[in-house]
Structures are given as structure tokens and as C-alpha cells.
């Protein structure tokens, strides 16, 4: 290619070109004098070849900053043609002027001085110009670092991210041009007095996401050195990664739909290598904890497995996740297996993450068996959360037919026994595994069931397991034993509490004695209290107490009804006995009653006194004697008739 013939006509149309300069394959046919008067590098080159009598001199400028376009800019300046400095070309022009040695020694007010003045006065004090300058410096990065102009831009950007964007020399997009210099909203040019809301903390994320990986990495390191908060650093790194790693879209919340506070002046996104980007992103991430950050790390680990990054990056991501595993979610841990393994999920990766968690929580594993105070302490809560998470993970992956029994056992045994107050989750996972693997022998099932502590199964789990046909017979027998033991100890504890609560107020039992009575029923009772919780036991006791009170009232009502029925029956008996007595019968027939004999008097006194109940033969003899005494009366009545 050839170029730059037409610009010489402004200088001298009669003289032909006597120097050819090649930059990035583009030939520039120029003249020696304008270049020598401004460029020290070209002047030195021409002085060295004065002995050569060639009419035309050809040279090639290797690694010219900014390429052929930037050299064209410098050539125009040498020929006295007006040029325009912009934020997009200032860094490349600055580097090109330094490369060509266009200093004041080779001309007053030379290109290097003009570029330096524009850079310091216009670029470093304006956010937009700083961002545009950094976006266009990729082609001259080494020389820009040598001249310290790249670091100056990075320092300026790092300072402005902590400042109100309305101070950077342009109006906010939220209100466009309807903003007064004082920050108030204008309506038809009239100051309304209403203040604009403060900008969001992530207003700058979108602009710097257009930087190349190298510039972005240098910017984050500069921000760290200047003490920018780790929340902002993590946020911008996550934003940048989500933009260039599409696989992270599922594991990140969608970007805000609000208009940002920066004008849309950015160019097209930079072309990046996703594998190199991910490895650099991992190095830039701060040591931070949080649910959203942990979810991002899990998504990053998933994408890293797909891209096949180096092992150092994978190990670092697994370590970061393990340090905050209690904040992870189940769907985040379900990482598909992209290796040669037959399993659906990468269980080896999850096992390594658990090991990292245990190494960070090693202080809690020293207490075995755990005390009641330790179980209720806040420091023990992460271990409980991870145990529940892993139990749910085991239940989710247990349906994989290619999952080996040894892997289930190793995943369950990574955590200590003290991490699980209940083993219902392990039982559920094994039940799903046995259902998905019906070909397992009873011996293999018994080996797997050894990870379950039957004393830590709830009553509901014991009831389900006792009727589970997928469990071996030995396991069912053990479950039945512990189920009966749980019921017995739970009932004993409830009765102790009820007796303590039903005691008189003056002779009440202190709460400590109540707790002592409950826990005194044995070690199994203590496990129940720890497992189900004191609150649950008390609530069950209250329900039982209410039911017993209702039963007592009902029994009292039934006793009253029974007593009434007895009184009515006595009245009926008395009326019947009075109707069948001899006196009433004799009165009906006009006869006088007989005088009471000594036997009858004895009977009456004996019936009213507190003498013992008569024997069975005594009433029978009195009954016959009464009939014998009344027999003459009926004879007289018959004769009289």
C-alpha cells in the first residue's frame, strides 16, 4: 500500500518523495526535511546514512505505537497540517511522539509537549475521557506503562469511582440536560429546587467492562492498592465476568434495568479469550463472603470445568467455596461431571470442597461428642447448615444409577458425627439410593446403613424405616428397638413434666428440677431432648395436659351421671318394696297389722347399724321366716272370705 502523496502538495508540489517509511505494511512516501525538523529518531537515522548516495531512502519502523493511523497523525503534524487531539487517540499519539523523539529539542512546541499538555489538562480530570483513553491504549501498552501515563489514568479512574459522578463534567443520564450546575432538576429552564438522587454504587461498572483484560486487571490492582472496598471490587469483577462468560448468566441475578449515570460513549466490548479471562478473574477476586458471592463462585467453578482451566485455578475456586460452604445452595453444588466419569454430577469436586470447609472449621471438630452448650452455640451453626446441605445433596445425587456405594459413604462420613443432631437426612438419602439401586445385596445395604446412628432418628423416621421393605432385616430390627426406646423415654419425660406442672403452687418444683427429672430418664432421653428440642417437648406436654384435663372433666361428668342413676334406682327399689310389704296388703283387705316381733326388731336395728355385711345365708332364712309369719294371716283372710 502507498499513501500520503496528497499532503505534500501543501508543502511543495514540485519535489518528488525522497524517503519511504513502512509502518505495519503501509508505505508512506514523504520528504526528509519536514520529518527531520520535528522527529529526532528520523533525523538520527538520516545522519547515519549520509554516505549512501541513493536518491530515495526506505526504512521500516518496527512496533510503532498505534500503528499506521498514529504515524499518519504524526506526519500531518510534521507537515504543519492541523490535527485534533481526542481522548481516543491521546495515549497512542503521546507514545508515538515519544517513539519518534518529537521533543522541543527538534522544534518549539513539538508534538510530545502538546500531547502531554492535553493529557494532563483535559483527560485526567474527566471520567469519560479517562475511560476512552484506557479503552484505546491496548496497542501501545508497554510504552504507555514506561511513560507512566497508563498508571496516571488508572489512578484517576480509581479516585473518581469513589466520587459523585455529577462532578466529573457531564450530566447524569437519569435526567439528561435537565440539571442545573447546582445539582437541582430544571423544568423549562426553571430551577425546581428538587435534588437529584445520589448515584448508585455500581454506576461505573458498565464503562470499565469495555476495557481489555490487561487494562481491567491493572485497574483492579490499582483499586486494591488505593483501599477501595472489597464489596465494590467483587461487584465489578462479577459484572465483568458475567459480560464475557455467558455461562454465568444462570448463576447471577440479572443486571439492573435502571439507566446508569454514565453516557453511552463506550465502544464495542473487547475480544477476550474466555479461558484466560476466567483464570485472571479468579486472581482478581477478593477474599469475601456472602450468599450472592458464593453463588457466583459456584457458577464460576462450573464454567471453569467446562473451559478446562488449569488445576491451580480450580483448586483456588474450590478453596474459596469451601471457606463459605454454609452459604451455598443445593442447585449450586449440583455441578455436572464433564470428565470421563460415568456419574451425572461431579461428586469428587464436592468432596474436596467439604474437606476445605472442614479445614477452615477444624476448631469445632475437636468436641466429640458435643455438649449441649456447644450444639446451641452460634459457632456451631455453620457446621449444622453444611450437614443439612450435604444430606440434601446426597438425596439429590442418590438417584444416579452409576453412583458407587463407596462414594455415598465417603461423602456422608466427611463431616463429623457431631454435625448432625438428626440422621433423618441420611436415612432419606439411603432410601432413595436403595430404590434406584435394587440390585444391591443385603450385605452392601447393611454396610451403607452403618453410617446412620439409629439413636438419632426421629420417631417419624423410625416408624417409616420399620415398615420399609428395602431395608435389610437386621436394620429393621435395630430400628424397631430404638423406636420403642424413644417412645418409652419420651413418655417418661412427658409424665415427669406433667407431674411437676400439676404439683401444688406452694410445693412447686423448680424448672431446674423439672429438667433434671426429664434428663434423669437415661442417656437416650437426653438425646431426645437435644434432638427434638426442649420447646417441642414442652409443647407436647401442654397438649397432653389439656387432653387430660378434658378427660378428667368428662370422667367427673360421668361419675355424676352414675350417682344420679344410682339414686333413681334406690328410689325405684324403695317404692317397689313398700308396695309389696304385708302391712300395705293387710290394709287393703281391712286387717290390722301385726306387732313387730323381736326378730324383726333385730333385723331393723341390724340393718341400720354399722355392722358388717350379712352373709348370703342370713337373708335367705329371714326371707323364709317372713313367709312363715305371714302365712296365718292369709289363712284368716281366706276363712273370712
Amino acid at each position: 500500500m502507498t499513501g500520503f502523496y496528497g499532503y505534500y502538495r501543501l508543502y511543495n508540489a514540485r519535489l518528488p518523495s525522497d524517503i519511504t517509511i513502512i509502518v505495519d505494511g503501509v508505505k508512506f512516501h514523504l520528504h526528509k526535511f519536514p520529518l527531520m525538523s520535528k522527529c529526532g529518531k528520523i533525523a538520527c537515522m538520516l545522519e547515519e546514512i549520509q554516505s549512501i548516495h541513493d536518491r530515495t531512502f526506505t526504512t521500516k519502523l518496527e512496533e510503532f505505537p498505534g500503528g499506521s493511523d498514529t504515524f499518519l497523525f504524526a506526519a500531518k503534524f510534521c507537515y504543519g497540517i492541523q490535527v485534533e487531539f481526542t481522548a481516543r487517540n491521546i495515549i497512542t499519539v503521546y507514545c508515538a511522539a515519544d517513539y519518534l523523539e518529537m521533543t522541543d529539542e527538534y522544534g518549539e512546541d513539538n508534538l510530545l509537549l502538546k500531547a502531554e499538555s492535553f493529557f494532563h489538562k483535559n483527560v485526567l480530570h474527566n471520567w469519560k475521557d479517562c475511560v476512552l483513553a484506557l479503552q484505546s491504549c491496548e496497542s501501545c501498552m508497554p510504552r504507555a506503562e514506561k511513560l507512566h501515563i497508563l498508571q496516571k489514568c488508572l489512578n484517576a479512574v480509581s479516585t473518581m469511582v469513589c466520587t459523585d459522578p455529577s462532578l466529573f463534567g457531564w450530566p447524569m443520564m437519569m435526567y439528561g440536560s435537565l440539571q442545573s450546575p447546582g445539582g437541582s432538576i430544571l423544568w423549562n429552564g426553571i430551577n425546581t429546587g428538587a435534588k437529584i438522587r445520589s448515584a448508585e454504587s455500581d454506576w461505573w461498572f458498565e464503562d470499565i467492562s469495555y476495557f481489555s483484560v490487561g487494562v481491567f486487571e491493572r485497574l483492579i490492582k490499582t483499586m486494591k492498592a488505593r483501599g477501595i472496598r472489597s464489596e465494590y471490587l467483587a461487584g465489578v469483577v462479577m459484572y465483568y465476568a458475567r459480560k464475557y462468560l455467558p455461562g454465568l448468566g444462570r448463576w447471577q441475578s440479572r443486571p439492573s434495568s435502571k439507566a446508569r449515570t454514565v453516557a453511552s460513549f463506550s465502544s464495542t466490548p473487547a475480544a477476550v479469550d474466555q479461558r484466560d479471562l476466567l483464570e485472571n478473574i479468579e486472581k482478581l477476586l477478593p477474599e469475601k463472603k456472602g450468599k450472592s458471592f458464593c453463588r457466583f463462585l459456584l457458577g464460576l467453578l462450573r464454567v471453569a470445568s467446562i473451559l478446562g482451566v488449569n488445576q491451580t485455578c480450580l483448586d483456588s475456586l474450590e478453596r474459596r467455596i469451601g471457606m463459605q460452604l454454609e452459604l451455598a445452595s443445593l442447585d449450586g453444588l449440583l455441578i455436572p461431571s464433564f470428565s470421563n466419569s460415568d456419574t451425572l454430577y461431579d461428586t469428587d469436586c464436592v468432596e474436596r470442597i467439604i474437606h476445605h470447609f472442614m479445614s477452615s472449621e477444624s476448631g469445632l471438630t475437636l468436641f466429640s461428642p458435643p455438649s449441649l452448650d456447644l450444639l446451641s452455640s452460634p459457632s456451631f451453626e455453620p457446621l449444622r447448615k453444611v450437614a443439612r446441605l450435604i444430606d440434601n445433596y446426597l438425596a439429590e445425587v442418590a438417584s444416579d444409577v452409576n453412583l458407587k456405594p463407596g462414594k455415598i459413604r465417603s461423602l456422608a462420613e466427611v463431616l463429623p458425627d457431631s454435625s448432625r443432631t438428626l440422621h433423618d437426612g441420611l436415612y432419606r438419602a439411603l432410601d432413595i439410593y436403595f430404590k434406584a439401586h435394587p440390585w444391591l445385596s443385603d450385605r452392601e445395604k447393611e454396610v451403607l446403613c452403618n453410617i446412620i446412628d439409629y439413636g438419632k432418628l426421629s420417631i417419624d423416621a423410625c416408624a417409616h424405616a420399620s415398615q420399609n421393605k428395602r431395608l435389610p432385616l437386621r436394620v429393621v430390627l435395630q430400628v424397631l428397638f430404638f423406636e420403642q426406646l424413644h417412645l418409652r423415654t419420651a413418655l417418661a419425660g412427658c409424665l415427669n413434666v406433667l407431674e411437676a406442672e400439676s404439683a401444688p403452687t406452694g410445693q412447686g418444683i423448680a424448672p431446674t428440677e423439672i429438667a433434671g427429672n426429664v434428663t434423669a430418664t437415661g442417656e437416650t432421653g437426653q438425646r431426645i431432648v437435644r434432638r427434638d428440642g426442649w420447646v417441642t417437648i414442652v409443647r407436647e406436654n401442654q397438649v397432653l395436659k389439656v387432653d387430660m384435663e378434658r378427660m378428667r372433666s368428662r370422667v367427673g361428668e360421668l361419675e355424676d351421671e352414675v350417682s344420679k342413676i344410682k339414686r333413681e334406682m334406690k328410689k325405684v327399689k324403695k317404692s317397689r318394696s313398700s308396695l309389696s310389704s304385708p302391712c300395705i296388703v293387710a290394709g287393703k283387705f281391712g286387717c290390722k297389722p301385726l306387732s313387730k316381733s323381736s326378730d324383726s326388731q333385730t333385723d331393723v336395728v341390724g340393718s341400720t347399724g354399722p355392722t358388717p355385711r350379712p352373709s348370703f345365708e342370713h337373708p335367705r332364712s329371714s326371707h323364709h321366716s317372713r313367709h312363715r309369719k305371714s302365712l296365718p294371716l292369709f289363712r284368716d283372710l281366706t276363712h273370712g272370705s
Side-chain angles (χ1 to χ4, degrees):
M1 293 178 65
T2 60
F4 209 64
Y5 279 112
Y7 293 112
Y8 179 68
R9 287 197 294 267
L10 298 175
Y11 185 78
N12 193 337
R14 295 182 181 179
L15 294 177
S17 172
D18 57 1
I19 183 173
T20 301
I21 298 178
I22 303 174
V23 178
D24 289 348
V26 180
K27 294 181 179 180
F28 293 88
H29 300 278
L30 305 172
H31 300 84
K32 297 177 182 179
F33 178 72
L35 297 180
M36 291 177 63
S37 62
K38 295 290 185 180
C39 303
K41 186 178 182 65
I42 295 179
C44 293
M45 293 171 61
L46 292 175
E47 289 177 359
E48 293 176 357
I49 60 170
Q50 284 181 354
S51 59
I52 301 176
H53 299 286
D54 292 344
R55 186 174 181 180
T56 302
F57 172 69
T58 302
T59 185
K60 185 177 182 180
L61 300 180
E62 300 288 348
E63 299 180 357
F64 189 84
S68 58
D69 293 336
T70 307
F71 181 79
L72 179 61
F73 185 97
K76 288 181 179 180
F77 182 83
C78 293
Y79 277 85
I81 302 173
Q82 185 178 1
V83 292
E84 181 183 3
F85 293 97
T86 63
R88 292 185 183 276
N89 65 16
I90 185 59
I91 291 184
T92 55
V93 170
Y94 197 131
C95 294
D98 179 76
Y99 181 91
L100 295 173
E101 300 178 9
M102 301 177 69
T103 61
D104 292 343
E105 182 181 354
Y106 293 93
E108 186 178 355
D109 203 13
N110 210 342
L111 182 61
L112 184 59
L113 181 62
K114 284 182 174 292
E116 184 178 1
S117 176
F118 182 85
F119 176 76
H120 286 91
K121 291 181 179 180
N122 298 88
V123 175
L124 293 182
H125 300 286
N126 188 281
W127 169 266
K128 174 182 176 180
D129 292 340
C130 268
V131 172
L132 289 176
L134 288 172
Q135 288 179 2
S136 59
C137 71
E138 186 68 24
S139 60
C140 56
M141 188 80 70
R143 188 167 291 271
E145 288 183 338
K146 178 182 177 181
L147 297 174
H148 304 291
I149 55 178
L150 178 62
Q151 191 60 43
K152 290 178 181 179
C153 276
L154 296 175
N155 290 335
V157 170
S158 301
T159 302
M160 285 186 281
V161 296
C162 302
T163 314
D164 187 354
S166 62
L167 304 176
F168 298 161
W170 80 95
M172 300 167 65
M173 276 191 63
M174 191 182 300
Y175 299 97
S177 61
L178 302 180
Q179 179 181 355
S180 68
S184 301
I185 302 175
L186 299 180
W187 178 76
N188 290 337
I190 303 173
N191 190 349
T192 61
K195 295 295 183 179
I196 295 177
R197 295 178 299 174
S198 60
E200 299 177 1
S201 60
D202 60 347
W203 60 266
W204 49 282
F205 288 5
E206 177 67 18
D207 291 324
I208 69 173
S209 67
Y210 287 88
F211 292 166
S212 63
V213 178
V215 175
F216 181 80
E217 183 178 359
R218 288 173 173 83
L219 177 60
I220 297 301
K221 291 180 179 179
T222 302
M223 289 181 174
K224 285 183 179 180
R226 295 181 68 87
I228 304 297
R229 294 175 59 182
S230 60
E231 290 81 3
Y232 295 156
L233 296 179
V236 70
V237 172
M238 292 163 63
Y239 190 92
Y240 191 87
R242 185 173 64 246
K243 187 167 188 174
Y244 295 102
L245 297 174
L248 287 176
R250 177 185 174 187
W251 307 104
Q252 282 295 109
S253 58
R254 294 181 179 179
S256 176
S257 59
K258 298 179 181 178
R260 299 193 176 270
T261 60
V262 185
S264 57
F265 53 80
S266 300
S267 59
T268 57
V272 298
D273 181 81
Q274 291 186 343
R275 180 175 175 178
D276 295 338
L277 171 62
L278 197 148
E279 293 175 355
N280 289 326
I281 286 295
E282 188 279 322
K283 297 176 183 177
L284 296 176
L285 287 172
E287 295 292 339
K288 181 179 177 295
K289 282 190 175 184
K291 287 186 177 181
S292 60
F293 189 66
C294 184
R295 185 176 180 84
F296 169 77
L297 290 175
L298 287 167
L300 207 62
L301 180 60
R302 177 186 294 252
V303 177
S305 301
I306 298 174
L307 297 177
V309 300
N310 57 54
Q311 191 61 38
T312 304
C313 180
L314 288 174
D315 293 341
S316 180
L317 287 174
E318 292 173 358
R319 180 189 61 81
R320 289 174 179 269
I321 297 170
M323 297 290 288
Q324 48 189 321
L325 185 57
E326 71 275 8
L327 303 176
S329 58
L330 176 59
D331 57 344
L333 282 181
L334 295 174
I335 302 173
S337 179
F338 299 101
S339 60
N340 296 327
S341 176
D342 296 332
T343 57
L344 295 176
Y345 300 102
D346 194 350
T347 54
D348 295 334
C349 175
V350 174
E351 186 174 359
R352 291 192 298 267
I353 291 174
I354 301 174
H355 280 294
H356 286 299
F357 170 78
M358 293 306 303
S359 63
S360 64
E361 301 287 338
S362 58
L364 293 177
T365 60
L366 299 177
F367 300 92
S368 182
S371 62
L372 189 60
D373 295 336
L374 179 62
L375 290 174
S376 59
S377 63
S379 60
F380 201 76
E381 185 63 24
L383 194 58
R384 287 198 295 266
K385 289 183 178 180
V386 171
R388 289 194 294 267
L389 177 64
I390 299 306
D391 289 349
N392 293 331
Y393 177 80
L394 290 174
E396 192 68 27
V397 302
S399 57
D400 184 6
V401 295
N402 294 322
L403 187 63
K404 303 300 181 183
K407 179 55 64 175
I408 283 279
R409 185 182 180 91
S410 61
L411 284 172
E413 292 179 343
V414 172
L415 295 174
D417 294 337
S418 59
S419 61
R420 295 180 176 93
T421 55
L422 277 178
H423 279 207
D424 290 8
L426 287 178
Y427 166 70
R428 173 171 168 264
L430 290 185
D431 185 37
I432 296 174
Y433 187 78
F434 293 158
K435 185 177 181 180
H437 302 75
W439 55 83
L440 292 177
S441 63
D442 287 348
R443 178 58 183 169
E444 292 175 323
K445 291 181 179 180
E446 290 177 4
V447 172
L448 276 180
C449 289
N450 288 336
I451 65 177
I452 299 177
D453 184 357
Y454 304 108
K456 291 185 178 181
L457 289 177
S458 65
I459 296 178
D460 294 335
C462 288
H464 184 277
S466 62
Q467 301 176 0
N468 194 343
K469 296 181 180 180
R470 288 184 287 270
L471 295 180
L473 182 59
R474 291 184 180 180
V475 175
V476 174
L477 292 177
Q478 294 182 45
V479 170
L480 287 174
F481 171 77
F482 280 98
E483 182 183 11
Q484 296 296 327
L485 190 61
H486 290 342
L487 292 174
R488 188 177 304 172
T489 52
L491 182 59
C494 294
L495 292 177
N496 288 336
V497 173
L498 287 176
E499 291 178 359
E501 291 180 353
S502 61
T505 306
Q507 301 177 356
I509 302 175
T512 55
E513 297 180 6
I514 298 175
N517 292 333
V518 176
T519 56
T521 55
E523 294 181 358
T524 310
Q526 292 178 2
R527 289 198 202 119
I528 291 176
V529 173
R530 286 199 299 266
R531 186 189 68 233
D532 297 333
W534 175 257
V535 176
T536 305
I537 293 295
V538 170
R539 288 177 180 174
E540 293 177 356
N541 292 341
Q542 291 176 351
V543 173
L544 291 174
K545 184 178 179 181
V546 171
D547 293 339
M548 292 185 68
E549 291 294 335
R550 291 176 181 174
M551 292 177 63
R552 288 175 182 175
S553 60
R554 181 58 179 165
V555 169
E557 293 176 359
L558 292 175
E559 289 179 351
D560 294 338
E561 292 179 2
V562 169
S563 61
K564 290 180 181 180
I565 292 173
K566 287 182 178 180
R567 287 195 296 269
E568 293 295 332
M569 291 178 66
K570 288 181 180 179
K571 290 180 181 180
V572 172
K573 287 181 179 180
K574 287 182 180 180
S575 61
R576 288 180 179 178
S577 60
S578 59
L579 288 175
S580 60
S581 63
C583 298
I584 296 178
V585 175
K588 287 183 178 181
F589 292 94
C591 301
K592 294 181 180 181
L594 297 174
S595 61
K596 297 180 180 180
S597 63
S598 60
D599 296 336
S600 63
Q601 290 179 359
T602 305
D603 291 339
V604 172
V605 174
S607 61
T608 57
T611 56
R613 183 176 177 179
S615 62
F616 181 76
E617 291 80 3
H618 181 72
R620 182 181 298 176
S621 60
S622 62
H623 179 72
H624 287 289
S625 61
R626 286 177 183 175
H627 281 280
R628 286 194 298 267
K629 292 177 182 177
S630 58
L631 189 58
L633 175 62
F634 285 101
R635 289 176 181 175
D636 295 338
L637 289 174
T638 53
H639 288 297
S641 59

